[in-house]
Amino acid sequence: NGFDLMLNIPINTGVLCHEMSHSLGTYDLYHVSGSLNPVGVWDLMSDNQETAQQMTVYTKWRYCKWLGEEYGDAGIPEISKPGTYTLNPVGGTTSENIAYKVKPVGSDEYFVLEYRKKEGFDSNLPGEGLLIYRINPKVSGGNVGYNGTTRLDEQYIFRPGGTTTQDGDISKAVFSQESGRTAFGGLATGKPFYSDGSVANFAIANVSACGETISFDLLETTKQLILSEETLTLKGAANSGASLTVACDEAWTISGVPAWLTVSPMSGEAGTTTVTLTTTS
């Protein structure tokens, strides 16, 4: 019975806090089968320690609602302008600037950067520094149901050697001057990637040493314009239509539209816009 199954499991504060957190709305972040470990020791809802460690900022925001009104429905603050940014540690004395979100155009998935410091509940972490992880907002309920095809990870933490099929070294996930990992994406060896393995268009560099805060540079990247469809087929009758999305890093304009076709809108700002094409004759 269930009681017998628990007899050989050591009960410590990590296990107790993990199980208690389920009653707050959290979900498990490990896989029930296979060799891939998407989150590892960096979140209480994945690997348990004798002393309970922090959850990621995303877990605290989405499932525990612990981060205050400033996070609200918009969630973790988004950054996109190149420049230097500074983070306070997760679990420190403030909830301000404890995480930033980066969302390149062309995908619903985005990336979170947070500072994990070996102090307090995080004293037993294998390292300290900047943690970078991917969020798939189309997935809810954690990572337990992952099968690599129809059910993907909600959270995935980047680490040396990690791919969609190789686990890499999750214990060395943090970036810092001390770790020797100070850049990610762009010309760096390690690159952010989406759930399908495609490389994401963002890069950071110059990650600082670990102190009361940690800083990094968000680099300028090549502008992209991504269409959801490369070709569209319209029926022969008048007023037949189709649509596609245009995702772009800057303002755009459509030109060269023939007289028999109406396109709306003909221009858009940075971000993602739905464009509708309708035959006039």
Side-chain angles (χ1 to χ4, degrees), residues 130 174-184 188 204-209 215-217:
L130 184 70
V174 287
F175 294 80
S176 66
Q177 283 188 6
E178 292 88 344
S179 71
R181 303 177 69 223
T182 59
F184 190 54
I204 66 163
N206 301 321
V207 180
S208 72
S215 63
F216 63 92
D217 291 343

Side-chain angles (χ1 to χ4, degrees), residues 20-278:
M20 178 63 183
S21 295
H22 283 305
S23 67
L24 301 176
T26 62
Y27 294 87
D28 292 320
L29 293 175
Y30 50 77
H31 289 176
V32 294
S33 62
S35 59
L36 297 179
N37 190 351
V39 173
V41 74
W42 303 100
D43 193 300
L44 172 68
M45 303 317 297
S46 180
D47 292 4
N48 295 146
Q49 301 186 102
E50 289 188 8
T51 299
Q53 73 272 43
Q54 298 284 343
M55 301 174 187
T56 63
V57 172
Y58 175 83
T59 301
K60 292 185 177 189
W61 165 72
R62 180 166 189 183
Y63 295 109
C64 297
K65 316 297 183 186
W66 280 347
L67 298 183
E69 294 181 359
E70 65 270 25
Y71 287 84
D73 293 336
I76 298 165
E78 182 175 351
I79 57 173
S80 58
K81 183 179 180 180
T84 301
Y85 294 87
T86 300
L87 285 168
N88 293 309
V90 177
T93 58
T94 178
S95 62
E96 294 182 0
N97 299 335
I98 58 171
Y100 295 121
K101 172 172 65 178
V102 177
K103 190 178 185 301
V105 299
S107 175
D108 291 330
E109 298 181 16
Y110 59 88
F111 305 88
V112 177
L113 301 89
E114 65 182 49
Y115 178 25
R116 301 296 289 272
K117 189 171 175 59
K118 281 177 66 69
E119 61 182 13
F121 287 107
D122 276 347
S123 296
N124 291 328
L125 290 178
E128 61 180 359
L130 184 70
L131 201 64
I132 305 176
Y133 52 98
R134 183 186 69 234
I135 298 297
N136 187 339
K138 293 182 178 179
V139 178
S140 61
N143 296 342
V144 168
Y146 174 89
N147 59 23
T149 53
T150 59
R151 182 61 158 76
L152 302 174
D153 284 322
E154 182 177 14
Q155 294 189 54
Y156 174 86
I157 292 175
F158 293 100
R159 77 296 301 266
T163 68
T164 56
T165 57
Q166 299 295 319
D167 205 34
D169 191 346
I170 187 68
S171 68
K172 296 180 179 178
V174 287
F175 294 80
S176 66
Q177 283 188 6
E178 292 88 344
S179 71
R181 303 177 69 223
T182 59
F184 190 54
L187 299 178
T189 301
K191 293 179 173 36
F193 55 86
Y194 293 112
S195 296
D196 63 2
S198 60
V199 175
N201 187 38
F202 92 90
I204 66 163
N206 301 321
V207 180
S208 72
C210 298
E212 291 186 6
T213 61
I214 199 168
S215 63
F216 63 92
D217 291 343
L218 180 66
L219 304 182
E220 186 167 5
T221 53
T222 303
K223 303 298 184 183
Q224 289 189 322
L225 188 147
I226 302 171
L227 304 180
S228 61
E229 307 286 344
E230 293 186 3
T231 60
L232 286 175
T233 301
L234 298 168
K235 295 180 180 179
N239 298 318
S240 64
S243 63
L244 75 161
T245 60
V246 178
C248 192
D249 291 304
E250 55 189 5
W252 51 269
T253 301
I254 296 174
S255 61
V257 178
W260 55 268
L261 186 66
T262 298
V263 178
S264 179
M266 288 286 289
S267 62
E269 300 299 322
T272 300
T273 305
T274 298
V275 175
T276 300
L277 296 83
T278 307

